[in-house]
Amino acid sequence: MSILLVNGPNLNLLGTREPGIYGAATLADVEAAAVAQGEAAGHRVDCFQSNHEGAIVDRIHAARTDGTQFVVINPGAYTHTSVAIRDAFAGVSIPFCEVHISNVHKREAFRHHSYLSDIAVGVMAGFGVQGYTLALEFVIAQLEQAKTA
């Protein structure tokens, strides 16, 4: 089964962008760990990052027909602004988990609202890059449970 990992704007700067908030791990580190975690559980993890909202929407649309069973997304700043990404998820009906490296609820007030959380299966926030690992553990368990149901 296939899992899609999507990272939004500025996440390509992980490792150098505000390391006090986001840590030292790079996006390449996060993606390599996710791919290895998926492979160890018998699942393929495809990774995608874009700083462009439309590209993220297009990738979510493509997931509808490419065998993607679940999406893990860190939408970055689009969390707080993108009705388009929300509508893309609603349109493809693929379950997804939302991940945030920082605890967005301890940050600026504008970061407290997510356009995605209420339609996400789950939300991980504030666990650093370990949030990706935790989200993937959950997703893999969900996919395994679905296979035996």
Side-chain angles (χ1 to χ4, degrees), residues 25-138:
T26 66
L27 181 60
D29 296 335
V30 169
E31 291 177 341
V35 168
Q37 182 180 358
E39 285 178 355
H43 298 277
R44 187 178 82 241
V45 175
D46 297 318
C47 301
F48 178 80
Q49 187 277 327
S50 181
N51 294 317
H52 305 282
E53 183 179 34
I56 294 169
V57 169
D58 288 343
R59 184 61 188 93
I60 293 167
H61 289 179
R64 187 178 60 153
T65 59
D66 72 3
T68 297
Q69 300 295 310
F70 220 111
V71 177
V72 173
I73 184 170
N74 182 340
Y78 289 136
T79 303
H80 323 291
T81 64
S82 185
V83 174
I85 293 173
R86 176 194 176 84
D87 287 349
F89 276 116
V92 300
S93 299
I94 297 172
F96 71 96
C97 285
E98 180 181 348
V99 173
H100 299 285
I101 296 168
S102 68
N103 182 350
V104 293
H105 303 289
K106 288 181 69 176
R107 298 185 64 195
E108 304 93 338
F110 71 86
R111 296 186 194 273
H112 298 176
H113 179 264
S114 168
Y115 279 97
L116 304 178
S117 294
D118 68 317
I119 62 170
V121 174
V123 179
M124 297 295 303
F127 293 94
V129 296
Q130 186 182 3
Y132 291 97
T133 303
L134 296 169
L136 281 168
E137 282 180 19
F138 172 79

